[in-house]
Amino acid sequence: MAIDLLNVAVGAVLAARDCPARVKDELAQYAHASGDMNPLHLDEAFARKAGFDNLVVHGMLNMALLGRLLTDHFETDTIRGFSTRFEGVLQVGEPTRVSMTLAGRTGEHAEIGLEMLTHEGRRIVSGHAKVRLRIS
Amino acid sequence: MAIDRKFLGFALPPFKVTATPERIARFADAIGERNPLYREGIAPPTFLKVLEGEDNSSRRILDALGVPLPRVLHAEQQFDYLAPVRAGDELLVERRVTDLYDKKGGEMEFIVIETSFTGPSGMLVARSRQIVLVRNAPRSQ
């Protein structure tokens, strides 16, 4: 579904999605698919040793959900940049919501704001993307 | 611990990696991507992390710097896309430590790793910039 970035108001929410809590098997699936076998995501005893109550969700898996908001709405070759800060640690069992807003327009690009929050409002990821405007 | 600043500029030997259709499909499954475009033809935007992480390369950088894994968290990640990565593309991956700094009197150390992805024709396809946080014990007074 295309979004008309040239005409939508700056500050508007462009898309949002609820994301169910992660379970251990999903972290194992991501670990094997990505090659990131850090035991922080796979081994409860290691996660406790690192200072967490439970398995920690890969930051890159959270970033991938924000990436899906981008790819659901923008064509691949218009997505020029994508960056995230992993501000909070998400553990298994915590549902989240991801959203993207139009942060601004500069020249040929739209600046997209992205975030992932827990249902309690704790910020897990904040991010930005640079998307080329289709000027015909 | 403090990371020795001699590692500023540390680089892994460049390596080649192929974005095979199987790996892209497996990654799409793991992130819940159902758009056929990203399951068959084009790598999802964060798939670059898989390519740069080939052969445990991030772990090898941390090991070389003497950083214990339980202290490490991924703090930031940035990708710049110059051209889409397509199934079958073989890319040359070059990874380098480009900055080392600390905050809170050394309680938090940061490692910046920059990666470039170059296509067979020598064209730069993408860049990645990762910041790793190392959590050290507070310094005793």
Side-chain angles (χ1 to χ4, degrees):
Chain A
M1 189 187 336
I3 293 172
D4 181 2
L5 286 172
L6 279 172
N7 291 305
V8 70
V10 170
V13 176
L14 304 175
R17 175 184 288 142
D18 285 315
C19 307
R22 291 290 179 189
V23 298
K24 183 176 182 175
D25 283 354
E26 291 173 316
L27 302 196
Q29 185 184 7
Y30 184 80
H32 287 284
S34 69
D36 181 350
M37 303 299 289
N38 186 332
L40 187 63
H41 315 298
L42 303 169
D43 174 354
E44 285 91 348
F46 184 95
R48 279 195 294 275
K49 183 180 159 201
F52 303 101
D53 303 328
N54 212 328
L55 296 179
V56 172
V57 179
H58 297 79
M60 288 308 300
L61 179 52
N62 296 333
M63 186 178 186
L65 293 189
L66 295 177
R68 277 177 49 209
L69 283 182
L70 297 173
T71 53
D72 282 353
H73 297 280
F74 306 120
E75 289 175 46
T76 314
D77 65 343
T78 66
I79 303 169
R80 309 304 287 174
F82 179 20
S83 63
T84 51
R85 288 184 50 143
F86 303 111
E87 298 190 22
V89 166
L90 184 70
Q91 300 183 23
V92 293
E94 297 186 285
T96 57
R97 185 172 176 81
V98 292
S99 64
M100 66 174 180
T101 56
L102 178 61
R105 279 182 288 261
T106 51
E108 295 181 345
H109 294 96
E111 187 73 26
I112 307 294
L114 297 152
E115 68 178 5
M116 170 183 272
L117 301 176
T118 65
H119 290 184
E120 295 76 37
R122 193 164 57 88
R123 191 187 306 277
I124 302 299
V125 186
S126 64
H128 288 277
K130 191 167 94 169
V131 177
R132 199 172 67 231
L133 296 168
R134 290 264 184 229
I135 301 168
S136 48
Chain B
M1 66 162 293
I3 299 164
D4 194 322
R5 294 300 190 262
K6 76 178 182 190
F7 289 113
L8 188 58
F10 173 84
L12 287 180
F15 57 90
K16 285 182 178 171
V17 59
T18 302
T20 64
E22 296 76 19
R23 292 181 77 176
I24 292 175
R26 205 149 62 111
F27 185 76
D29 280 340
I31 66 169
E33 178 61 80
R34 292 188 176 79
N35 181 342
L37 190 64
Y38 293 99
R39 300 188 55 84
E40 289 158 18
I42 298 177
T46 60
F47 186 75
L48 288 173
K49 195 74 202 164
V50 180
L51 296 178
E52 74 178 34
E54 176 81 351
D55 220 2
N56 265 319
S57 76
S58 302
R59 178 74 178 269
R60 285 189 284 127
I61 293 172
L62 296 175
D63 286 350
L65 271 57
V67 175
L69 200 57
R71 298 223 181 130
V72 162
L73 287 177
H74 196 171
E76 293 187 31
Q77 179 65 47
Q78 175 182 336
F79 297 113
D80 297 312
Y81 306 103
L82 289 85
V85 172
R86 296 176 190 283
D89 284 357
E90 186 191 60
L91 299 173
L92 178 70
V93 180
E94 296 171 90
R95 307 196 73 191
R96 182 180 299 277
V97 174
T98 58
D99 203 2
L100 292 168
Y101 57 94
D102 59 73
K103 292 181 181 173
K104 295 190 178 177
E107 206 173 308
M108 302 163 86
E109 286 186 284
F110 295 88
I111 306 166
V112 181
I113 303 168
E114 293 188 9
T115 304
S116 67
F117 302 81
T118 309
S121 61
M123 188 184 76
L124 187 65
V125 170
R127 284 186 297 259
S128 154
R129 184 171 186 272
Q130 168 177 17
I131 303 181
V132 175
L133 162 64
V134 185
R135 302 167 301 150
N136 293 321
R139 199 170 287 170
S140 53
Q141 297 298 312

